[in-house]
Every structure is written in structure tokens, then in C-alpha cells.
């Protein structure tokens, strides 16, 4: 994997190629996306595209990584990590669930799941660039809140963070990802996240 990543060239048309790849991959999926179509969408020649990314799989993994990292960064920067748990968990949960339920979030997840059996490193890159980043931030925040006396002592912080993430996905996420629901409102998201925060703090709050 490290040898593949080293082959990526970051030049002045790197962002242009990534943006073109994003539009094609999210529309056609990994298997359906052609290099010719990606080059057209990016406004570059096929030779230029290959000079940045030697094959389609590497380009797809880079696109997913960039998108997940951007979302994780946006979420973290929107939070005041010195605020009390009720505020941080509520805002962070809404950002997290909002991305999961977004069209882009759903498309990325479906493509990764469809391809990770053939390309196991894709699943790892997806997890490391998005979910793992968010989990690490939440674990660090809960540990700091625990030291401030806002979260109970003798708590498995890692497990607590995982449980909060899963509670934020209750009811809505699975229905959306399998196509049972498509009409999710902000009120629906708030309902699920508020329930997750209340349940979490009833168990772990002080």
C-alpha cells in the first residue's frame, strides 16, 4: 500500500483530477467509471491523468480519502471541544449523521462496501481517513471531559465513543442506505441525535 501511495504525484492539476474523478465515481460507481470519462470530466488528457495516478483503483482510494478527511476536518473545526458534553455531542452527532445521510456520504459508503472485498486496502483507507479520525477526536474529548468531572470515572471511553456513534445511526441510517427511506429532514436527524445524547449522558454523564 505504501508503494502505491508513493506513486501519486501532486502537481498543479492534482485537484482538477480529483474533482473530475469524484463526479464520475459518485455517479457511475467504481466499476462503471471509465478512465476516459474521468479525464473528460477533469478536463485533462488521459496521459496527464495517468501521470498523477497510475491506475483507477489508486485514484479512487485517493478521492475517498480526500473526501472523508475534508468532512472530518469540517466537523472537528465546527466544535468547541472545551464546551460541556451535552453541547459537543449534540452538535457533533448532527454533523456526523448529516454526512452519513447525505447523497455523497451514501454513495461513498455503498461503493466502498461493494469494492472492499476485492480491494481490502480500500476499506482500511476509508476507515482511517474518516470514521477513525472522528472516533479519535471523540475519545480525546470524552477523556478530557472525564478529567473535568463531566463524564463518570472508571468508564471505558473507547467503548462509550463507539456506542454514541452507533446510537446516532439508530432508525434512520440503515433505512436510508438500503433505500427504504429517502425523505429525511433536519427534524428527523435532531430527533435521533437528541435521543442518542440523552441516553449517552444518562449512562455516562455526571
Amino acid at each position: 500500500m505504501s508503494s502505491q501511495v508513493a506513486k501519486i504525484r501532486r502537481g498543479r492539476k492534482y485537484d482538477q483530477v480529483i474533482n473530475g474523478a469524484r463526479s464520475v465515481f459518485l455517479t457511475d460507481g467504481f466499476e462503471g467509471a471509465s478512465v476516459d470519462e474521468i479525464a473528460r470530466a477533469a478536463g485533462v488528457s488521459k496521459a496527464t491523468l495517468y501521470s498523477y495516478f497510475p491506475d483507477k483503483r489508486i485514484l479512487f482510494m485517493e478521492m475517498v480519502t480526500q473526501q472523508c478527511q475534508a468532512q472530518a476536518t469540517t466537523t472537528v473545526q465546527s466544535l468547541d471541544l472545551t464546551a460541556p458534553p451535552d453541547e459537543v455531542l449534540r452538535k457533533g452527532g448532527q454533523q456526523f449523521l448529516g454526512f452519513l445521510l447525505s447523497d455523497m456520504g451514501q454513495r461513498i459508503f455503498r461503493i466502498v462496501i461493494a469494492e472492499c472485498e476485492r480491494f481490502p486496502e480500500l476499506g482500511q483507507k476509508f476507515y482511517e481517513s474518516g470514521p477513525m479520525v472522528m472516533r479519535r477526536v471523540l475519545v480525546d474529548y470524552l477523556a478530557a471531559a472525564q478529567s473535568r468531572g463531566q463524564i463518570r470515572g472508571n468508564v471505558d471511553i473507547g467503548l462509550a465513543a463507539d456506542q454514541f456513534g452507533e446510537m446516532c445511526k439508530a432508525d434512520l441510517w440503515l433505512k436510508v442506505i438500503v433505500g427504504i427511506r429517502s425523505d429525511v429532514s433536519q427534524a428527523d436527524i435532531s430527533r435521533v441525535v437528541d435521543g442518542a445524547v440523552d441516553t449517552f449522558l444518562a449512562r455516562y454523564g455526571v
Side-chain angles (χ1 to χ4, degrees), residues 20 24 34-45 49:
V24 176
S34 72
V35 173
D36 287 333
E37 184 60 30
I38 293 171
R40 279 195 294 271
V44 300
S45 68
L49 189 150

Side-chain angles (χ1 to χ4, degrees), residues 36-129:
D36 287 333
E37 184 60 30
I38 293 171
R40 279 195 294 271
V44 300
S45 68
K46 228 162 108 171
T48 297
L49 189 150
Y50 278 126
S51 75
Y52 281 85
F53 299 95
D55 67 51
K56 188 172 75 167
R57 179 168 52 121
I58 295 173
L59 174 55
F60 180 70
M61 285 191 291
E62 185 72 1
M63 183 277 292
V64 169
T65 298
Q66 291 293 321
Q67 197 60 50
C68 290
Q69 285 178 341
Q71 180 61 36
T73 298
T74 297
T75 299
V76 171
Q77 289 178 344
S78 73
L79 300 176
D80 176 4
L81 296 177
T82 63
D86 179 79
E87 178 182 330
V88 172
L89 294 174
R90 211 170 296 279
K91 187 169 185 179
Q94 289 185 359
Q95 293 265 12
F96 170 68
L97 184 56
F99 177 68
L100 287 183
L101 298 178
S102 70
D103 184 62
M104 180 173 292
Q106 292 174 59
R107 287 175 184 267
I108 288 177
F109 181 80
R110 287 191 179 107
I111 296 171
V112 169
I113 294 302
E115 301 297 335
C116 66
E117 185 172 349
R118 287 194 301 160
F119 308 129
E121 66 269 34
L122 175 59
Q124 182 175 350
K125 287 287 287 183
F126 168 74
Y127 180 73
E128 289 175 351
S129 62

Side-chain angles (χ1 to χ4, degrees), residues 143-165:
Q146 190 179 55
S147 71
R148 294 193 295 265
Q150 297 169 318
I151 294 293
R152 293 182 185 179
N154 300 318
V155 166
D156 184 335
I157 293 295
L159 176 61
D162 291 335
Q163 289 173 333
F164 179 70

